Amino acid sequence: MQDVASIEDLYQNLIMERARAPCHAGSLAAFDAEAEGDNPMCGDRVHVRIRRDRNRIGALSHETRGCAICISAADLMGDAVIGKSQDEIGELADAFETMIATGNTPDRPDFADLRALSGVHTYRSRHRCATLPWQALRAALGKTEHRHG
Amino acid sequence: MQDVASIEDLYQNLIMERARAPCHAGSLAAFDAEAEGDNPMCGDRVHVRIRRDRNRIGALSHETRGCAICISAADLMGDAVIGKSQDEIGELADAFETMIATGNTPDRPDFADLRALSGVHTYRSRHRCATLPWQALRAALGKTEHRHG
Amino acid sequence: MSVAIERIGFDVERIRADFPILAERVHGRKLVFLDSAASAQKPRAVIDAMVRTMETRYANVHRGLHWMSERCSDDYEGARDKVAAFLNAAREEIVFVRNATEAINLVAHSYGRTVLQPGDAVVVSEMEHHANLVPWQMLRDSHGIELRIAKITEAGELDFHDLERNFADGRVRLLAITHMSNVLGTYTPVERLAAFAHAYGARILLDGAQAAVHRAVDVRAIDADFYVFSGHKLYGPSGIGVLYGKRELLEAMPPFLGGGDMIRSVSYEKSSWAEPPYRFEAGTPAIIETIGLGAAIDYVNAIGFEAIAAHERSLTDHALAVLSDIDGLHVLGRAQDRGGVVAFTLDGVHAHDVATLLDKQGIAVRAGHHCAEPLTRRLGQDSTARASFGVYTTHGEIDALVSGLRRVKQVFG
Amino acid sequence: MSVAIERIGFDVERIRADFPILAERVHGRKLVFLDSAASAQKPRAVIDAMVRTMETRYANVHRGLHWMSERCSDDYEGARDKVAAFLNAAREEIVFVRNATEAINLVAHSYGRTVLQPGDAVVVSEMEHHANLVPWQMLRDSHGIELRIAKITEAGELDFHDLERNFADGRVRLLAITHMSNVLGTYTPVERLAAFAHAYGARILLDGAQAAVHRAVDVRAIDADFYVFSGHKLYGPSGIGVLYGKRELLEAMPPFLGGGDMIRSVSYEKSSWAEPPYRFEAGTPAIIETIGLGAAIDYVNAIGFEAIAAHERSLTDHALAVLSDIDGLHVLGRAQDRGGVVAFTLDGVHAHDVATLLDKQGIAVRAGHHCAEPLTRRLGQDSTARASFGVYTTHGEIDALVSGLRRVKQVFG
Ligand SMILES: Cc1ncc(COP(=O)(O)O)c(C=O)c1O
Ligand SMILES: Cc1ncc(COP(=O)(O)O)c(C=O)c1O
């Protein structure tokens, strides 16, 4: 059932690049909401901060302590959601989680580099690593919603 | 390993006779010691009373609530121990327990009808039924010993 | 009856072929196994699932990042899905334990010592297995609850008047009761009991160790708060049992055993707990056995409970009819709704002698108090013999039991 | 070293042939299973013993008067004799439980809530598995004992000075400590620890989950009061574990779980308890698994612990030597006396990524805190990777691990 897999399948260049040098790592000086996701099983922890720009995400930062999958997932998430509305992000998060669960990459233009993480699917025990940043983002969005009515 | 066994192997005539009409059943009017043995697993209960005649057992009675094996074992025990000294009875009890445990009938003249119970050996779960009266007798003897110094 | 069975395609000979042990001989005779209520035999499918796990997909579950561990975790958690579907529950409501006994003890410890307060009452019935009596006695003695025993009628059914009397003062917080008696065969009216308990603001725990083997159980339709059963009676392996608990109840309960896998996070000073069901599964679980239980559930589902129930009803009706022809034989219990368990006494013959003499003829029945000593005494007995039926039991085997008993009577004649 | 091994006739290829799973391929690669400390693979002899039980000799144990039940009870109790001999204990001192975790919980509940009094102290070490920490935290929180943590040295050995400080006020009544750390590999000097605890009037519980797999254990020579281990790590089935307790301790302890088989007699009002070990085995036990454990013990005895220990020492020495050649790789712990478990970190690569990338190459290692989260943090880590060895592990597999790790470094280059 399993093919002879090249060891690089999962750890594509893009993933390794972002894991080594993430673009959105750090902490926004000013932000509207923040949330933390953690996986007590392995100690992975993602702290997401977002700044709104009217109804859209203006900026996102993440502080991630975790594996390459988790860091790159957080960082590619940053690319994908900046400039999007809360509804669009909700859809994107659903699509991402479905991709991890099923291994099928969705056919949507806004999905872009998130496809790089589809290989995580074959590693059931790593799903959490990839979805943890999205979980934190959802939590942060929930708070802004709350705050802004 | 198991032979085709006749169903009467275990329930020999002698056993059935004693189970139906035990010779030592009841309660001695006068006795020097008594003890009860019970098997909580199945509710079997044997009440043994003994009267001494100098250093020997002068009389024995048993009230047994239990299966055919237990009643006949108590009754045949009565036959075997009356007139015996405490030491002789200890030996007999050991020999009886060994027979039940091993299935080998001992080559001793005082063993007599106790041999009828050797078939119990093949029924591990019935060993207790056969040895319970002897356990009660040992307990009763322990008490007379105590009392008589 | 046999027409109805044929209609739903129940072929007992084909089923028997699934159970390797049924081909064994005992004392030179064909094995007639009438002790399934104590523990059922295992079909090839269960044995194979366990062997396959050990030969091709075994590793410790949950924390492994490697292939074997992921596959084995999938199989283990897949079994949880099967059990959840089997009871019509959610997977978070299914806790794996060793057996029905441990499941009841878990509730007595974890629910009993937090939700129940000293002075609260727990009601059980006169027909409980020790597993559903002793844990409540222990809780009474350590925690100060009151334990009340609801009576049964002369027919061996629950006495609802007495049950009402027991609930009258409003102090009862839990009704813990069997779904089917392992001695009398009586099914209890569980929907009615649940509604009854809930009307008094009490919770209900159902001991399904016997019932879950013979009938489809729907914990939502029943509205059961807790439901327990054992894998080994359901044609599954030993060492695995199930506690179902309503989500909100499990969520509010503290853990029972502490250790690996049941924690969220641990420091030297303090630990926090995982969500149910993991909170209640400390340490390495019975992995191979849980997977075996999943296979057992697949097996009974493939036969279907409609067919199983019809077959067992037919066997029980037949047994009650033919046993009543034997002089001096008395069946215990005459409940309207009864399952495939028949306990009896034979005048002048101790139950142990019955069992041994039947065994000599290759017929396996149980004798004793069947871990229901107070009930046995309540029925005026020290011990009884019991024949019990499974999917593989045939009408011919019941006839063999009757001939065997006639032989016993001859010996004792 | 390999000369010594040959001398005692250790043929690892012949042993490997006994384990069907080792022939499996993972991601198209030969399986290199280096996760035995989490759970070991099962030899044919264990699988066969379980299958044989289910196919030819199965029934519920203890109370059956028929052939199948007697044979199955013999096998079950025969396994108890094997375990007793394995630990040099008496059979009455061997209690069957699910796993090491349940065994420790049993002691914490039954001994902890009766013999220990609020204000008494229990000492564990910094290197405990959660199984030997969380139950004592729970006892502390429910029963008011004090829990103290004895430090380890920088080498990862027990700090006897700190242990003495912990005992100084005379309030310690129990030392509960691992016999071998599942992270550091450290063996603790158990004879010395037992003498130490006893000199202070305290009892000692040893967590042998790891040690019992690698070394012959003699509870009398150690003078252990309690000793626990799990079958699944000893090449036996899941779902079965062992609690050894000194006879006089077990005799004085109240039962833990209530139900069938653990009683002497039951009435509606009151129950009395069976003698140990039965007092602690409520309900239908893990029959098939216990028999499987017996077969596992026969299996390791046939190889012999002298040979097993020598083989594993040789593997561990080799692993420590070749792993230290990898730049940026750090092994945790450097105890003098250590067993076949090597946890490590790799600079710049998270342990999860190490495990996943090794798995892609067919190599199974574990990553995380290994159910010893406080220890992992104490060592300054969130998680580590761990390779662990069994009787079937080869030097070649360790070399494969090293090549695999070099490949990981390339990817993260
Ligand atoms: C040192 C130690 N103690 C206890 C345990 C717990 O064993 P189990 O999960 O079988 O109860 C383990 C195994 O994970 C261990 O390594
Ligand atoms: C009605 C009932 N409850 C509980 C039990 C206990 O089951 P187990 O021994 O598997 O825990 C049994 C089985 O003996 C039973 O028949």
Side-chain angles (χ1 to χ4, degrees):
Chain A
M1 239 151 34
Q2 296 285 335
D3 301 323
V4 178
S6 145
I7 130 167
E8 280 89 4
D9 274 7
L10 184 55
Y11 293 81
Q12 296 185 12
N13 285 343
L14 185 60
I15 292 180
M16 292 312 301
E17 261 167 39
R18 292 304 185 98
R20 274 194 220 98
C23 305
H24 305 282
S27 172
L28 291 176
F31 54 89
D32 295 301
E34 62 182 328
E36 215 172 74
D38 76 325
N39 182 354
M41 293 290 167
C42 60
D44 280 1
R45 184 180 303 255
V46 184
H47 194 136
V48 169
R49 293 182 179 82
I50 49 175
R51 192 165 58 235
R52 299 175 68 99
D53 180 3
R54 266 159 308 166
N55 288 323
R56 302 186 172 269
I57 296 280
L60 176 148
S61 72
H62 67 91
E63 285 179 298
T64 304
R65 196 182 61 186
C67 59
I69 306 290
C70 191
I71 298 171
S72 59
D75 217 56
L76 294 171
M77 176 180 82
D79 289 6
V81 302
I82 291 170
K84 296 273 186 335
S85 73
Q86 184 147 340
D87 286 352
E88 288 165 345
I89 293 170
E91 270 179 43
L92 214 49
D94 290 347
F96 184 79
E97 284 162 6
T98 304
M99 176 183 79
I100 298 296
T102 64
N104 303 324
T105 50
D107 187 23
R108 39 190 306 159
D110 59 354
F111 215 66
D113 290 343
L114 293 176
R115 289 191 184 85
L117 288 153
S118 66
V120 174
H121 163 65
T122 50
Y123 278 82
R124 206 75 37 96
S125 49
R126 305 300 300 276
H127 289 189
R128 255 329 263 291
C129 306
T131 56
L132 192 62
W134 291 89
Q135 192 184 311
L137 176 58
R138 280 188 202 268
L141 285 171
K143 290 181 192 171
T144 64
E145 193 173 22
H146 201 72
R147 212 191 297 169
H148 297 260
Chain B
M1 245 153 24
Q2 295 285 335
D3 301 323
V4 178
S6 145
I7 129 166
E8 281 89 4
D9 273 7
L10 184 55
Y11 293 80
Q12 297 185 12
N13 285 342
L14 184 61
I15 292 181
M16 293 312 300
E17 262 167 38
R18 293 304 184 99
R20 276 195 217 98
C23 305
H24 305 283
S27 172
L28 291 175
F31 53 91
D32 295 301
E34 61 182 328
E36 213 173 75
D38 75 324
N39 182 354
M41 292 291 167
C42 59
D44 279 1
R45 185 179 304 255
V46 184
H47 195 136
V48 170
R49 293 182 180 84
I50 50 176
R51 192 166 59 236
R52 300 175 69 97
D53 180 3
R54 268 161 305 168
N55 287 324
R56 300 184 175 271
I57 297 280
L60 176 149
S61 72
H62 66 92
E63 285 179 299
T64 304
R65 198 180 60 186
C67 59
I69 306 291
C70 191
I71 298 171
S72 60
D75 216 58
L76 294 172
M77 176 180 82
D79 288 6
V81 302
I82 292 171
K84 296 275 187 334
S85 73
Q86 184 148 341
D87 286 352
E88 287 165 347
I89 293 171
E91 269 180 42
L92 213 49
D94 290 347
F96 183 79
E97 284 162 7
T98 304
M99 176 184 79
I100 298 297
T102 64
N104 303 325
T105 50
D107 187 23
R108 37 190 308 158
D110 59 354
F111 215 66
D113 290 344
L114 292 175
R115 289 192 183 83
L117 287 153
S118 65
V120 174
H121 163 66
T122 51
Y123 279 82
R124 204 75 37 94
S125 48
R126 306 300 299 276
H127 290 189
R128 252 335 257 292
C129 306
T131 57
L132 193 62
W134 290 88
Q135 192 183 309
L137 176 59
R138 280 188 201 267
L141 286 171
K143 291 180 192 173
T144 64
E145 192 174 25
H146 202 71
R147 214 189 295 166
H148 297 259
Chain C
M1 193 48 92
S2 57
V3 175
I5 292 169
E6 268 162 36
R7 188 169 45 73
I8 45 179
F10 194 90
D11 179 349
V12 70
E13 286 309 326
R14 220 182 45 208
I15 286 172
R16 290 180 69 81
D18 295 334
F19 290 80
I21 204 171
L22 298 180
E24 291 291 305
R25 297 180 77 78
V26 162
H27 300 303
R29 310 292 194 89
K30 206 164 151 291
L31 171 65
V32 174
F33 188 77
L34 298 176
D35 193 21
S36 292
S39 197
Q41 298 300 346
K42 319 304 173 202
R44 170 72 48 218
V46 168
I47 300 170
D48 284 351
M50 295 170 75
V51 170
R52 172 170 178 263
T53 298
M54 291 188 271
E55 288 191 353
T56 66
R57 296 164 73 88
Y58 182 77
N60 211 331
V61 293
H62 293 153
R63 285 156 192 288
L65 300 170
H66 54 79
W67 194 93
M68 283 290 165
S69 179
E70 290 198 332
R71 289 316 156 281
C72 200
S73 303
D74 285 353
D75 295 350
Y76 178 79
E77 292 299 332
R80 199 188 306 275
D81 291 326
K82 289 178 189 181
V83 172
F86 181 74
L87 295 179
N88 190 26
R91 53 177 284 111
E92 294 76 21
E93 298 175 319
I94 302 301
V95 178
F96 287 125
V97 291
R98 178 171 37 246
N99 49 27
T101 301
E102 189 187 12
I104 296 171
N105 278 276
L106 194 165
V107 175
H109 272 261
S110 176
Y111 183 82
R113 286 165 195 261
T114 53
V115 176
L116 300 185
Q117 300 297 322
D120 288 348
V122 171
V123 172
V124 302
S125 84
E126 281 185 332
M127 61 179 154
E128 300 310 318
H129 187 279
H130 293 163
N132 196 31
L133 174 61
V134 178
W136 307 113
Q137 292 180 337
M138 289 168 66
L139 182 66
R140 174 194 67 195
D141 296 344
S142 69
H143 190 64
I145 60 142
E146 192 190 332
L147 179 59
R148 300 177 183 177
I149 317 285
K151 293 204 180 336
I152 55 173
T153 65
E154 284 314 299
E157 295 175 322
L158 195 66
D159 180 340
F160 263 86
H161 292 300
D162 192 62
L163 193 65
E164 272 167 19
R165 275 193 293 279
N166 274 295
F167 272 74
D169 67 2
R171 282 175 46 212
V172 177
R173 301 289 303 277
L174 180 70
L175 173 59
I177 192 162
T178 193
H179 189 179
M180 175 185 147
S181 163
N182 65 318
V183 175
L184 301 166
T186 310
Y187 280 107
T188 53
V190 284
E191 286 88 350
R192 181 175 166 200
L193 285 168
F196 175 90
H198 292 155
Y200 281 90
R203 297 288 183 174
I204 186 163
L205 175 148
L206 293 170
D207 172 1
Q210 293 298 334
V213 181
H214 304 292
R215 283 199 174 172
V217 172
D218 180 333
V219 292
R220 293 218 190 295
I222 296 170
D223 198 15
D225 296 300
F226 297 105
Y227 196 95
V228 311
F229 72 92
S230 288
H232 68 92
K233 296 189 202 263
L234 188 65
Y235 313 104
S238 51
I240 180 67
V242 170
L243 166 66
Y244 156 82
K246 273 187 187 157
R247 190 192 305 255
E248 67 269 24
L249 295 177
L250 292 182
E251 272 169 4
M253 281 158 58
F256 173 39
L257 306 180
D261 266 1
M262 51 66 74
I263 53 94
R264 178 175 162 81
S265 138
V266 178
S267 73
Y268 290 124
E269 294 74 33
K270 197 175 154 22
S271 299
S272 56
W273 317 129
E275 294 299 305
Y278 304 107
R279 185 186 301 165
F280 304 102
E281 295 178 5
T284 303
I287 301 168
I288 301 158
E289 296 66 36
T290 306
I291 295 169
L293 173 61
I297 287 177
D298 288 343
Y299 183 80
V300 294
N301 282 341
I303 302 177
F305 268 110
E306 203 189 333
I308 293 173
H311 177 62
E312 291 178 357
R313 207 174 317 115
S314 156
L315 290 169
T316 308
D317 289 347
H318 182 64
L320 293 173
V322 292
L323 287 171
S324 72
D325 282 349
I326 299 179
D327 262 6
L329 187 145
H330 310 280
V331 169
L332 281 76
R334 41 189 168 81
Q336 297 268 322
D337 190 12
R338 72 179 291 161
V341 152
V342 181
F344 58 88
T345 59
L346 195 59
D347 289 347
V349 192
H350 192 282
H352 283 196
D353 294 322
V354 170
T356 297
L357 283 166
L358 287 174
D359 181 55
K360 283 260 182 197
Q361 304 171 69
I363 304 165
V365 301
R366 196 143 284 237
H369 53 52
H370 315 295
C371 292
E373 189 178 343
L375 172 64
T376 303
R377 301 218 183 284
R378 154 82 180 73
L379 299 169
Q381 308 296 333
D382 286 324
S383 66
T384 66
R386 182 186 72 182
S388 56
F389 316 134
V391 285
Y392 39 65
T393 306
T394 65
H395 288 65
E397 289 183 312
I398 289 168
D399 296 337
L401 170 65
V402 170
S403 321
L405 286 167
R406 295 200 189 281
R407 198 91 179 71
V408 172
K409 282 184 53 123
Q410 271 171 23
V411 173
F412 274 74
Chain D
M1 192 53 85
S2 56
V3 175
I5 292 169
E6 267 161 37
R7 190 169 43 75
I8 46 178
F10 194 91
D11 179 348
V12 70
E13 286 309 324
R14 222 181 44 207
I15 286 173
R16 289 179 69 81
D18 295 333
F19 290 81
I21 205 170
L22 298 180
E24 291 292 304
R25 297 180 77 78
V26 162
H27 301 302
R29 310 292 194 89
K30 206 164 150 294
L31 170 65
V32 174
F33 188 76
L34 299 176
D35 193 22
S36 292
S39 197
Q41 299 299 347
K42 318 304 173 202
R44 171 70 49 217
V46 168
I47 300 170
D48 284 351
M50 296 170 75
V51 169
R52 172 171 179 264
T53 299
M54 291 188 270
E55 288 190 353
T56 66
R57 295 165 73 89
Y58 182 79
N60 210 331
V61 293
H62 292 154
R63 283 156 192 289
L65 300 170
H66 54 79
W67 194 93
M68 284 290 167
S69 178
E70 290 198 332
R71 289 315 157 281
C72 200
S73 302
D74 284 353
D75 294 350
Y76 177 79
E77 292 299 331
R80 198 188 305 274
D81 290 326
K82 289 178 189 181
V83 172
F86 182 74
L87 295 178
N88 191 25
R91 53 176 283 111
E92 294 76 21
E93 298 175 319
I94 302 300
V95 178
F96 288 125
V97 291
R98 179 171 36 244
N99 49 28
T101 301
E102 189 187 12
I104 297 172
N105 278 276
L106 193 164
V107 176
H109 272 262
S110 177
Y111 184 82
R113 287 165 195 260
T114 53
V115 175
L116 300 185
Q117 300 298 323
D120 287 348
V122 171
V123 171
V124 303
S125 84
E126 281 185 334
M127 61 180 155
E128 300 310 318
H129 187 280
H130 293 164
N132 196 30
L133 174 61
V134 178
W136 306 114
Q137 292 181 337
M138 289 167 67
L139 182 67
R140 175 193 67 195
D141 296 344
S142 70
H143 190 64
I145 60 142
E146 191 190 331
L147 179 59
R148 300 179 182 175
I149 318 284
K151 292 204 179 339
I152 55 172
T153 65
E154 283 313 300
E157 294 174 322
L158 194 66
D159 181 339
F160 262 86
H161 291 299
D162 192 62
L163 192 67
E164 273 168 17
R165 274 193 293 279
N166 274 296
F167 272 72
D169 67 2
R171 283 175 45 213
V172 177
R173 301 290 302 279
L174 180 70
L175 173 60
I177 192 163
T178 193
H179 189 177
M180 175 184 148
S181 163
N182 66 319
V183 175
L184 301 167
T186 310
Y187 280 107
T188 53
V190 285
E191 286 88 351
R192 183 176 165 199
L193 285 168
F196 175 89
H198 293 154
Y200 280 91
R203 297 289 183 175
I204 186 164
L205 176 148
L206 293 170
D207 172 0
Q210 293 298 334
V213 182
H214 304 292
R215 283 197 175 172
V217 172
D218 181 332
V219 292
R220 293 218 190 295
I222 296 170
D223 199 14
D225 295 301
F226 297 106
Y227 197 96
V228 311
F229 71 92
S230 288
H232 69 92
K233 296 190 201 264
L234 188 65
Y235 314 103
S238 50
I240 180 67
V242 170
L243 166 64
Y244 157 81
K246 273 186 188 157
R247 189 192 307 253
E248 67 268 24
L249 295 176
L250 292 182
E251 273 169 4
M253 281 160 57
F256 174 39
L257 307 180
D261 265 2
M262 51 68 73
I263 52 93
R264 180 176 160 78
S265 141
V266 178
S267 73
Y268 290 125
E269 295 73 34
K270 199 174 153 19
S271 299
S272 57
W273 316 130
E275 293 298 305
Y278 304 107
R279 185 186 300 166
F280 304 103
E281 295 179 3
T284 303
I287 301 168
I288 301 158
E289 297 66 37
T290 306
I291 294 169
L293 173 60
I297 287 177
D298 287 343
Y299 183 79
V300 294
N301 281 341
I303 301 177
F305 268 110
E306 203 189 333
I308 292 174
H311 177 60
E312 291 178 357
R313 206 174 317 115
S314 157
L315 289 169
T316 309
D317 289 347
H318 182 62
L320 293 173
V322 293
L323 286 171
S324 72
D325 282 349
I326 299 179
D327 261 7
L329 187 145
H330 309 280
V331 169
L332 281 76
R334 42 189 166 80
Q336 298 266 322
D337 189 11
R338 71 179 291 161
V341 152
V342 181
F344 58 88
T345 61
L346 195 58
D347 289 347
V349 191
H350 192 281
H352 283 195
D353 294 322
V354 170
T356 298
L357 283 166
L358 288 174
D359 182 55
K360 283 261 181 197
Q361 304 171 70
I363 304 166
V365 301
R366 197 143 282 238
H369 53 53
H370 315 295
C371 292
E373 189 178 343
L375 172 64
T376 304
R377 301 219 183 282
R378 154 83 180 73
L379 299 169
Q381 308 295 335
D382 286 325
S383 66
T384 67
R386 182 186 72 183
S388 55
F389 317 134
V391 285
Y392 39 65
T393 307
T394 66
H395 288 65
E397 289 183 313
I398 289 168
D399 296 336
L401 170 66
V402 170
S403 322
L405 285 168
R406 294 201 190 280
R407 198 92 178 69
V408 172
K409 282 184 53 126
Q410 271 172 22
V411 173
F412 274 75

